[in-house]
Each structure stands twice: as structure tokens, then as C-alpha cells.
Amino acid sequence: MKKSSYYRLWFIVFGFWFLFLSGILTQLTGSPGVLQLMRLKNLKVQREKQIVELKTDIQRLEYDAKRLEKNSVVQEQEIRRVLGYAAKDEIIFDFSSVDQLH
């Protein structure tokens, strides 16, 4: 075998190997390739961050729920906040009209 044909054979082998790893031949081989692997790893990191954020939100909501269940003062404050009322000893500052002046 000639030296040039030997190099050509290796070039072809590495070319197919690159195509196989890149994911270009996914429909033919069924292998997702390196590009898909990188996308999936990135997606995994994003989902793990999202899970941490959601767990933090759940803990905060559980804490708020316990406070609302057990503390009548907190219940009254939340009811007033939702309905827009104020207690006798509360002072309301309305800053919404400041934006209308400008």
C-alpha cells in the first residue's frame, strides 16, 4: 500500500468518525452526537438551577402558609393588603400619583 493511500484511508476514517461524533448522521446512525450531548448538558444545568429556585419558592410559600394559619395578626394584615384596607393605626402612603405628575 502506498503512503499516500495510507494517509487517505486514515483521512476517510477520521472524517467518518468526525461525522459520527458531530451528530450530522443522526438519522442514519441513531447516535445523537457530541453537539446534542453539549445541548443536553446545558439543558440539565438550566433545569437544575430552576429546581433550586422552585424549591426556594416552595419553602417560602410553606413558611407564609404556616404564618397565615397560626397568626391572626398576619391574617388580618394579608386580608387588608389584598382588599386595600388600612387598620385604624396604619398610615397609607400612595406614591402612584407621583408618576402622573411627570
Side-chain angles (χ1 to χ4, degrees):
M1 189 176 229
K2 288 184 177 180
K3 197 172 189 178
S4 63
S5 62
Y6 180 73
Y7 289 131
R8 187 176 299 140
L9 176 65
W10 276 111
F11 181 73
I12 291 170
V13 168
F14 281 119
F16 278 117
W17 182 62
F18 174 76
L19 290 174
F20 182 72
L21 288 179
S22 69
I24 294 173
L25 301 175
T26 299
Q27 293 179 352
L28 298 174
T29 63
S31 172
V34 175
L35 298 176
Q36 181 69 10
L37 174 68
M38 291 177 4
R39 277 186 244 133
L40 289 175
K41 282 187 177 186
N42 188 24
L43 182 62
K44 179 185 173 202
V45 169
Q46 290 175 355
R47 294 296 186 244
E48 287 173 346
K49 287 179 184 178
Q50 187 179 19
I51 287 171
V52 170
E53 291 172 1
L54 290 173
K55 284 183 179 181
T56 303
D57 288 345
I58 289 171
Q59 289 176 345
R60 182 184 51 79
L61 290 171
E62 286 174 346
Y63 174 75
D64 290 345
K66 287 179 185 176
R67 286 182 54 219
L68 284 170
E69 287 176 3
K70 297 180 180 181
N71 193 337
S72 61
V73 174
V74 174
Q75 291 172 358
E76 289 176 14
Q77 287 175 345
E78 185 64 19
I79 290 169
R80 287 194 308 272
R81 185 189 68 78
V82 170
L83 296 177
Y85 297 147
K88 293 178 183 178
D89 59 344
E90 288 181 330
I91 299 173
I92 304 295
F93 293 98
D94 184 12
F95 296 105
S96 61
S97 61
V98 173
D99 292 335
Q100 294 173 358
L101 294 176
H102 295 299

